[in-house]
């Protein structure tokens, strides 16, 4: 079974005195030492995962899990792993380095220092080499009518997953591709209608061309030397039907991660390798899928009425606030007790990204209603800021967006009937948010190529047009400079 994992990068680790140590040295078949080979180690057999709560661990119980640790070989082709668990002696290593074939090896730790020497076979077959290349290279090689259409396609078909993976590259008929695209539109993609009609033929032709002529794929970029001092650690959370959407490092050093599709919060202790699961409460009157139930009707498995989206922690009392994108609510989680509190509001739709300011006010975007909201914790009061609409039609759509989803819940396929234009009229999409040191509230609007900020002192809203497509997440640094990601172009930009 595949497992979604929380991954953290720990740079510049220092060797500590450990009871046991594993040294892996990697060469090619000619005997040359290979640096920057990725070596992953995991104990065998893996600890069994509790799946007794509808396929997931029982809530509010400590579960011990195995971690997978990955490091990279140094200039001498070697990498070192401390072995902390004296009771586990059997391990599996996986070694990967392009253009060599992956190697899996199981072995036993028998002494204080165990040496493992391996040789990698270079892959010579052009087709197999192409299959080893990552999704981004396949996506980059797809040719379209013009660069603008390619940007739009990349943005709208890469919201929730990479495009170009082995699964996506499978052979499909035109009708099968139409079904896939229609389902993605139902999930929320705003691929313009004219491109929806063109893409099945384009994808079939382009994937067939690339499979027949692998040389059209670019070579992967070389890995950087700083990876020699890097470590990646993975802990299992959820399964292939999960979407662990957001995670934060808590003030207590624990990791808090929200499973968007299964309405669970995972708490990971990275020292003890223990996890605790907390289930976000469902009300009796809640529909499966919440206020956007039609969106998940075709999804194979979900246990969600909230769709936990983003997390932010209060510096005042450590409470964690979660935006449930499928409800008109704000969820408050108290880590010390595992208790949830629900704060309801009556306007706005699709709570999205969330931040907390220096006065302990909780700010979040409302993506589909074109708003930003503030929750005053002291007064227990919501305030809503309407962002400017680009047209009267857009103003009407964003104002009544909730009722459009009600119609879809009744079985009326509006998402498939209503045409989507190239300017995404009706879905400007208020997206990322952050608080600058001067306490201005910055936000992005992904579909209008704008960022903006709210001055909380006088509630004024300032919009700033960006020259590039698709500003998504953003952060303000300690100088007040706003750094944001141009999603369609995979670029990082800064405004000062």
């Amino acid at each position: 079974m595949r497992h979604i994992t929380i991954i953290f990068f720990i740079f510049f680790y220092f060797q500590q005195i450990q009871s046991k140590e594993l040294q892996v040295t990697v060469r090619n078949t000619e005997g040359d030492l290979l640096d920057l080979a990725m070596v992953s180690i995991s104990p065998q057999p893996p600890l069994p995962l509790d799946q007794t709560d509808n396929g997931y661990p029982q809530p509010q119980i400590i579960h011990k899990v195995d971690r997978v640790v990955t490091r990279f070989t140094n200039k001498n082709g070697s990498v070192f792993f401390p072995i902390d668990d004296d009771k586990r002696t059997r391990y599996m290593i996986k070694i990967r380095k392009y253009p060599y074939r992956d190697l899996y090896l199981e072995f036993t730790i028998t002494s204080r220092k165990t040496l493992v020497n391996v040789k990698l076979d270079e892959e010579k077959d052009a087709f197999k080499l192409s299959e080893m290349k990552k999704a981004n290279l396949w996506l980059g090689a797809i040719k379209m009518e013009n660069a603008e259409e390619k940007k739009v396609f990349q943005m709208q078909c890469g919201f929730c997953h990479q495009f170009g993976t082995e699964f996506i590259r499978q052979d499909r008929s035109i009708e099968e591709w139409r079904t896939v695209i229609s389902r993605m539109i139902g999930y929320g993609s705003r691929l313009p209608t004219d491109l929806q009609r063109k893409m099945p033929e384009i994808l079939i032709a382009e994937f067939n061309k690339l499979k027949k002529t692998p040389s059209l794929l670019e070579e992967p970029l070389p890995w950087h030397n700083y990876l020699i001092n890097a470590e990646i650690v993975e802990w299992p959370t959820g399964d292939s039907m999960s979407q662990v959407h957001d995670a934060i490092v808590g003030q207590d050093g624990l990791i808090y991660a929200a499973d968007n599709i299964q309405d669970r919060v995972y708490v990971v202790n990275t020292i003890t390798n223990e996890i605790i699961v907390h289930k976000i409460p469902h009300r009796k009157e809640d529909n499966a899928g919440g206020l956007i139930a039609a969106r998940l009707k075709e999804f194979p498995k979900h246990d969600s009425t909230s769709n936990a989206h983003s997390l932010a922690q209060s510096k005042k009392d450590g409470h964690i606030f979660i935006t449930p994108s499928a409800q008109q609510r704000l969820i408050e989680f108290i880590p010390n007790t595992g208790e949830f509190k629900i704060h309801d509001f009556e306007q706005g739709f699709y709570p999205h990204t969330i931040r907390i300011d220096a006065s302990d006010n909780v700010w979040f975007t409302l993506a589909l209603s074109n708003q930003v909201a503030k929750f005053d914790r002291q007064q227990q009061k919501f305030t809503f800021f309407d962002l400017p609409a680009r047209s009267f039609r857009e103003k009407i759509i964003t104002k009544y967006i909730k009722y459009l989803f009600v119609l879809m819940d009744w079985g009326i396929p509006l998402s498939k009937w209503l045409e989507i234009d190239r300017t995404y009229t009706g879905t400007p999409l208020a997206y990322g948010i952050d608080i600058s040191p001067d306490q201005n509230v910055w936000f992005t609007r992904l579909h209008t190529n704008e960022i903006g900020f709210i001055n909380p002192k006088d509630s004024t809203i300032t919009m700033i047009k960006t020259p590039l497509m698709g500003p998504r997440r953003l952060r303000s640094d300690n100088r007040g400079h706003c750094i944001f990601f141009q999603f369609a172009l995979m670029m990082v930009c800064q405004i000062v």
Side-chain angles (χ1 to χ4, degrees):
M1 176 179 290
R2 291 195 300 119
H3 293 281
I4 291 181
T5 55
I6 307 173
I7 302 178
F8 296 91
F9 295 80
I10 308 170
F11 288 94
F12 307 112
Y13 67 85
F14 297 92
Q15 294 285 357
Q16 298 179 353
I17 297 176
Q18 304 288 342
S19 56
K20 294 179 181 178
E21 184 181 60
L22 168 68
Q23 177 182 336
V24 180
T25 301
V26 183
R27 292 178 170 85
N28 61 21
T29 52
E30 285 73 39
D32 301 321
L33 293 167
L34 298 178
D35 65 345
L36 294 173
M38 184 170 69
V39 183
S40 302
I41 179 172
S42 57
Q44 300 295 313
L47 291 173
L49 295 172
D50 178 15
Q51 298 174 340
T52 57
D53 183 26
N54 194 30
Y56 304 98
Q58 286 290 329
Q60 298 184 319
I61 297 174
I62 295 176
H63 301 273
K64 190 79 172 180
V65 297
D66 282 328
R67 63 180 191 163
V68 178
V69 179
T70 299
R71 292 180 177 179
F72 297 80
T73 55
N74 60 25
K75 296 289 186 181
N76 298 317
S78 295
V79 63
F80 302 86
F81 295 92
I83 305 299
D84 301 318
D85 191 343
D86 289 332
K87 298 178 182 178
R88 311 283 292 276
T89 60
R90 196 74 182 157
Y91 287 85
M92 170 77 77
I93 57 172
K94 171 186 174 182
I95 303 172
R96 170 171 290 180
K97 181 177 174 66
Y98 183 85
Y100 299 90
R101 297 170 189 161
D102 287 354
L103 177 67
Y104 293 83
L105 179 66
E106 195 167 328
F107 60 94
T108 301
I109 300 288
T110 57
S111 60
R112 181 174 293 276
K113 183 160 185 173
T114 299
L115 304 178
V116 176
N117 292 288
V118 300
K119 289 187 177 182
L120 299 184
D121 295 319
E122 186 172 358
E123 183 58 72
K124 302 291 188 179
D125 184 272
F127 176 77
K128 291 181 179 179
L129 279 170
S130 71
E131 290 294 294
M132 294 167 60
K133 293 181 179 180
K134 300 305 179 185
N136 65 303
L137 296 179
W138 285 82
L139 172 59
I142 293 174
K143 302 299 183 185
M144 296 183 62
E145 189 173 315
N146 55 63
E148 193 70 16
E149 286 193 351
K150 181 68 177 289
K151 294 174 192 175
V152 171
F153 171 72
Q154 287 180 167
M155 183 168 72
Q156 293 302 326
C157 294
F159 267 108
C160 302
H161 52 75
Q162 282 190 303
F163 196 92
T165 61
E166 182 180 5
F167 174 75
I168 288 176
R169 300 195 304 264
Q170 290 180 6
D171 291 337
R172 291 179 175 86
S173 66
I174 287 178
E175 191 55 41
E176 286 172 328
W177 270 117
R178 285 174 180 161
T179 299
V180 169
I181 291 170
S182 177
R183 187 167 66 250
M184 295 303 114
I185 297 300
Y187 288 163
S189 170
R190 296 290 85 195
L191 185 67
T193 303
D194 63 317
L195 286 182
Q196 292 179 43
R197 299 185 181 117
K198 293 164 58 174
M199 287 313 302
E201 289 86 354
I202 292 173
L203 293 174
I204 290 172
E206 288 297 305
F207 279 140
N208 284 340
K209 179 181 68 175
L210 295 172
K211 290 173 184 177
K212 290 177 181 177
T213 314
S215 60
L216 295 174
L217 294 166
E218 292 185 6
E219 288 300 295
L221 292 174
W223 288 346
H224 292 279
N225 288 331
Y226 60 68
L227 289 175
I228 291 173
N229 296 313
E231 181 180 81
I232 305 169
V233 184
E234 303 172 64
W235 294 266
T237 58
D239 63 10
S240 59
M241 292 294 105
S242 294
Q243 188 181 42
V244 181
H245 192 274
D246 199 12
I248 60 172
V249 180
Q251 295 163 10
D252 53 9
L254 302 177
I255 309 302
Y256 295 85
D259 187 338
N260 179 275
I261 295 177
Q262 306 302 336
D263 270 1
R264 285 162 168 81
V265 174
Y266 286 85
V267 184
V268 182
N269 187 321
T270 62
I271 305 300
T272 64
N273 301 317
E274 295 171 332
I275 66 170
I276 299 177
V277 180
H278 299 275
K279 295 177 73 172
I280 295 174
H282 294 176
R283 290 172 172 168
K284 290 182 180 180
E285 65 271 19
D286 287 346
N287 293 321
L291 300 179
I292 54 174
R295 190 173 180 180
L296 293 177
K297 277 183 179 178
E298 296 180 15
F299 199 82
K301 173 188 172 186
H302 71 90
D303 182 21
S304 174
T305 67
S306 294
N307 286 26
H309 193 279
S310 297
L311 297 84
Q313 187 170 30
S314 165
K315 293 182 180 180
K316 182 177 180 180
D317 55 17
H319 292 194
I320 294 173
F321 286 83
I322 305 170
T323 45
S325 57
Q327 294 291 348
Q328 290 178 302
R329 300 170 187 164
L330 183 63
I331 295 173
E332 182 176 356
F333 175 64
I334 305 173
N336 292 339
T337 64
E339 176 188 1
F340 288 92
K341 293 182 179 179
I342 296 178
H343 306 276
D344 295 289
F345 51 86
E346 295 183 355
Q347 65 163 295
F349 202 73
Y350 210 92
H352 203 268
T353 317
I354 188 170
R355 296 288 184 266
I356 301 175
D357 68 18
S359 300
D360 210 36
N361 297 307
V362 183
W363 294 81
F364 54 97
T365 50
L366 289 152
L368 295 183
S369 59
N370 194 31
Q371 294 172 298
V372 173
K374 179 183 79 169
F375 177 59
D376 187 319
R377 294 189 66 193
Q378 190 171 15
Q379 298 184 32
Q380 294 288 290
K381 176 186 175 183
F382 286 95
T383 303
F384 297 88
F385 299 83
D386 295 332
L387 304 182
R390 294 171 295 171
S391 66
F392 178 75
R393 180 189 173 203
E394 182 163 275
K395 185 175 182 178
I396 294 299
I397 292 173
T398 55
K399 182 177 178 64
Y400 297 106
I401 189 73
K402 175 182 176 179
Y403 303 102
L404 296 179
F405 276 89
V406 171
L407 293 175
M408 286 189 281
D409 289 346
W410 290 351
I412 302 174
L414 294 178
S415 63
K416 301 174 184 178
W417 288 357
L418 299 176
E419 292 212 349
I420 303 170
D421 60 32
R422 292 292 184 99
T423 60
Y424 314 105
T425 301
T427 53
L429 217 60
Y431 207 96
I433 195 169
D434 203 12
I435 315 296
S436 58
D438 60 6
Q439 297 306 292
N440 281 338
V441 181
W442 287 83
F443 58 87
T444 61
R445 286 210 311 192
L446 192 142
H447 283 159
T448 66
N449 304 333
E450 293 173 298
I451 63 173
F453 65 90
I454 299 170
N455 184 335
K457 296 176 182 177
D458 58 14
S459 298
T460 55
I461 299 173
T462 301
M463 302 298 297
I464 302 169
K465 196 73 175 175
T466 73
L468 303 172
M469 182 187 293
R472 193 169 181 179
R473 300 285 182 180
L474 83 164
R475 287 287 188 179
S476 176
D477 64 18
N478 57 7
R479 301 166 297 174
H481 295 177
C482 186
I483 302 165
F484 58 97
F485 298 89
Q486 294 284 168
F487 177 43
L489 304 176
M490 306 174 197
M491 295 175 62
V492 179
C493 303
Q494 178 175 279
I495 185 169
V496 296

